[in-house]
Amino acid sequence: MSATMDLDALRHAMAENAAQPEGPARGARAEVLLAEAEKLAVPLGVIEALSHQLQMYNYSSEKDKMFVPFARLLRMWDEHPEDFDSYEAHSLHWVFKWMTNGMLNQPHVPLASIEKWLGEMDHRYKVAGHSERAVRMSEFYVADHLGDEERATRAYDAWLAADRDDKADCHACELNGQGARQADLRHDERALELWGRVLAGELTCAHEPHAALASSLLPLLRLGRPEEARANHLRGLRLVRQMESMRGAFASHVEFCALTGNEARALELLAERPAYFTDSGDPQGLKNFLAVTALVMDRLVTLGLGEQRVPGPAGRDWTAAELAVHARGEALAVAARFDARNGTDVVSRRVRERMDQRPLVERLPLGVRVTRPSVTVPVAPAAPADTRPRDAASLVAEARRLSAATGGPLTARAWAAAARAAQDESLELTVRDQAEIADYAAIHSDDTVGGFDHAAALFEEAGDPAEARAARARGAFALARAGRLDEARAAIREPYEQVVLDGFAELAAESARPVTAVLTSRARILLMGHAGDEDIAAAEACVRDLLALAERFEDVPRLASQAASARAMLGDIAVHRGDDEGARALYEGAVEAHLAAERPWAAVDCDMRLAGLARERGDLDEGARRLRAALEHGAGALEPHDVAQLQLQLAEILAAGGDARAASEHALEATHWADEVGDGAGLGAWARFQLGGHLLGQDRHAEAAEVLESALLDLTSDDHGDGAIVQARWWLGDCARALGEHLQSAEAWLKAAELAQHWPEQRDHAMLANLAADALDRAGRPEDADRAYVRAGELWASLGQTGAVVRCLRARAWLDSADADAERACMEAAIAACEAALSDADDDDRELLLSELGHTHRQFAQLLSRRDAPDTEEQLERAAAAFEAAGDEEARDEARETLEARRG
């Protein structure tokens, strides 16, 4: 660094340092700049450098270092107040509050020193004529820390009663502190009222709404408002995760995850900030982070995951059980230092209460997928196991009873239990028992065809040819589902012909069941593939036989449900014939019949078919109603992957109807169920992509950004297509722009453009390049923006979009990097492009081009006016003429008024 740095250069260097991310590097740089300031022999330069150093320490993990520069500033003020300008004098008194809280958060600072300093602050504020509001606020924080409720209440009331002046904390920070007080008293509604304007973004500062969002999480959960809590978590985490000084707020987000069934997410957050486990410059923040770490680890131990590898302090590997003990001990050790200083047990008691919390919500999907560290955490502790001795034979008997009585998911679980037991006790089972187990296993096996053949052979051995035919029929249908349709038709022929030969008019209920299986399988096979009229007619005859047989046993739930399935197949046949209204009536009848048979899970397929028909005829409300019915009817029976699919379909139909909020709720559920089944990278990523779009549609930009970033971790061209990736990055850029994160928006759009550049149609590529250029300009990167505008202009030109080319040229002229020659060259090129396009434009294009020409001349005049160029008025005249030719009288008059003002 040059030894000749002047005051302006010093100020510029301090501004650059303040713009860097929080961390020790800023503090180290501030120390170097202070040394440079001392070389200037300008007292104000030293004062500004000390103030800068103090701020860098305050907004870092090195808060314990800020007392030295403040003490020096205070001494300089007492000795030579005339050396301070008005801004530095204000800043000095403003940061008195930082010193009080800073001392309070350092247990090595004696309590007597804190009380003495509080009195010094009170005296100095009175001498300077300031309100006592900031003093009483600081006193409240001291009293609250000590657990002196009487003094805390008195100071809190005095804080609110005193006038706000320019030494009081910013309004946003004050409201955060006041809300936190109410939340501590469990006045959660009042707390949220106080935080309202901060949470809404109306009142902001360097640390707000960051802190208020974190503070609001548990009160919202306690009030039964988990959706708002989730939104505040996603918004707030995005704000604090890169701010080193906000370890306490970050810990609150980890705590929120631990108390909402998101322990795996909590582990991911802990892994993001390893230094937080040990940074000791802010003992209060260290204590809070360790307490929350202990809470997370205790949750994992409770869930039976004590041996799970977890992130922790550097230098060794940790299991959850080990870190639970370590973090609890360290948190209590820091708390004990505070209590020793204070002469109370308040801090230790509060830490224990925080570590010992129980979950507030069993399951709260967040919409983001855990990617590191890998951990599987159950939604809730498993139900106590059935400890009764269960042999394979008794399990088969129970499964058989359930099959006859109810069917559905309970039956499936019962047969699964019997199958597991049979692996060890097969010799104790009859051949019939083994046949039924094999038949069940084939339904859930990859080798379904071979499994059904094995089951059929066992049924033959057991002397039950009817059930053997049913198993072979199911095997034939398995062939059809595998795409082996010719083989399936050949395989179903013998079972079906035998059923017809034997006849089924006089069958009893038990004998009817295997016959219905054969008829159902044959009808379904005939309807698969490119079914012709003959196949459809044969399938219909088969289904009507099935219906006639099953309807005879309305008092047998399983067969009554088969009759309902027959009506649904008749609905499928009606669809094949183009009779959607007939199909609709048949599906509705099938749903009613399944429900009457008390087998609601069997109605799900019909619900989905009805939803599809409704969507085809444009009845989105009916489609949504039918999908909701499918979820209701399938509750507890559907596999998680099927639930995810249904939730996502419902989200899509609601979004198509304009209800983005409801769509986002169901897309969120889809992400949860996809993750539950381990398909987070497939269906889960697609659901997150959709969820991000729905959130963006509601202007919930921070939430959408978090979700889209999570989706992009898993979206791939092979599985989801380039279009989804480009759209996700496009949406992410939109979110970042709305949040003021202009470099991030440029990055998202440039990455999207990299994919879109290979598409045959280049409009999206051009638009993304243009958006990236705009973002780079807003981010203060004019050279990069200029290059991006050049590229965007080239793309627009290749598409024949002269207006867009002209706008890119105008934007280049306004860049901070543009000098007089560059401005003129860009504007003249824009004018030339408009005039060239006008020579052969049709009437519609002509009006638009004339308007662009007018705007170009007017903006050229504005640029020239800044440099007092002689041709400014000429450009205004030409602007007015172009606007008049375009028929834009208002713009014409504005140009003329500006011209007259210059001349007059």
Side-chain angles (χ1 to χ4, degrees), residues 469 496-507 511 515 549:
R469 284 195 292 271
Y496 175 68
E497 290 176 350
Q498 190 62 50
V499 162
V500 172
L501 181 64
D502 290 349
F504 43 80
E506 304 299 326
L507 290 177
S511 300
V515 172
L549 174 62

Side-chain angles (χ1 to χ4, degrees), residues 528-713:
M528 292 180 75
H530 301 289
D533 292 343
E534 185 177 337
D535 289 330
I536 293 174
E540 182 177 9
C542 192
V543 172
R544 293 199 180 279
D545 285 341
L546 169 63
L547 184 60
L549 174 62
E551 280 184 332
R552 291 168 41 207
F553 305 100
E554 291 182 352
D555 58 338
V556 180
R558 189 167 180 179
L559 290 172
S561 188
Q562 281 282 23
S565 296
R567 292 190 183 92
M569 280 191 282
L570 289 175
D572 294 342
I573 291 168
V575 170
H576 271 283
R577 291 171 172 161
D579 181 10
D580 287 354
E581 282 304 309
R584 180 181 174 188
L586 286 161
Y587 290 143
E588 288 174 345
V591 169
E592 292 172 4
H594 281 305
L595 298 182
E598 298 183 350
R599 294 166 66 92
W601 58 87
V604 170
D605 283 344
C606 294
D607 289 323
M608 293 176 66
R609 286 174 168 80
L610 285 165
L613 290 174
R615 190 163 190 175
E616 286 178 11
R617 65 177 181 271
D619 191 344
L620 299 180
D621 289 342
E622 172 66 7
R625 187 176 75 82
R626 290 297 181 178
L627 288 172
R628 288 192 176 97
L631 286 165
E632 179 184 348
H633 294 154
L638 292 172
E639 293 296 324
H641 189 274
D642 296 325
V643 176
Q645 290 277 17
L646 274 173
Q647 292 283 4
L648 197 52
Q649 289 180 40
L650 181 54
E652 290 170 354
I653 203 169
L654 289 167
D659 192 346
R661 185 167 191 84
S664 64
E665 292 171 359
H666 289 284
L668 178 65
E669 281 294 313
T671 67
H672 166 75
W673 289 105
D675 289 345
E676 281 289 294
V677 78
D679 195 16
L683 181 60
W686 184 256
R688 271 180 267 281
F689 164 65
Q690 297 287 348
L691 173 59
H694 299 324
L695 292 170
L696 176 59
Q698 301 168 67
D699 294 331
R700 295 161 66 178
H701 299 108
E703 298 170 67
E706 285 290 304
V707 171
L708 289 167
E709 286 174 349
S710 180
L712 282 164
L713 294 172

Side-chain angles (χ1 to χ4, degrees), residues 4 26 56-57 64 186-187 260 295 324 329 331 366 402 404 435 474 518 610 637 695 720 753 899:
T4 60
R26 291 203 310 177
M56 296 305 97
Y57 287 147
D64 54 336
R186 292 299 188 267
H187 302 159
T260 57
L295 169 67
L366 300 179
L402 288 171
R474 284 188 281 269
V518 174
L610 285 165
L695 292 170
H720 307 97
L899 179 60

Side-chain angles (χ1 to χ4, degrees), residues 730-790:
W730 197 322
W731 283 339
L732 184 57
D734 290 342
C735 293
R737 176 176 58 188
L739 295 168
E741 301 170 355
H742 299 306
L743 276 178
Q744 291 90 330
S745 64
E747 179 184 4
W749 286 325
L750 287 171
K751 286 183 176 179
E754 287 178 12
L755 276 178
Q757 69 179 319
H758 303 297
W759 293 357
E761 211 293 312
Q762 286 289 284
R763 184 175 181 81
D764 285 342
H765 184 200
M767 180 61 76
L768 287 163
N770 210 147
L771 288 169
D774 293 341
L776 289 166
D777 182 18
R778 286 190 292 268
R781 303 278 286 273
E783 292 82 5
D784 294 332
D786 187 65
R787 288 190 290 272
Y789 278 125
V790 169

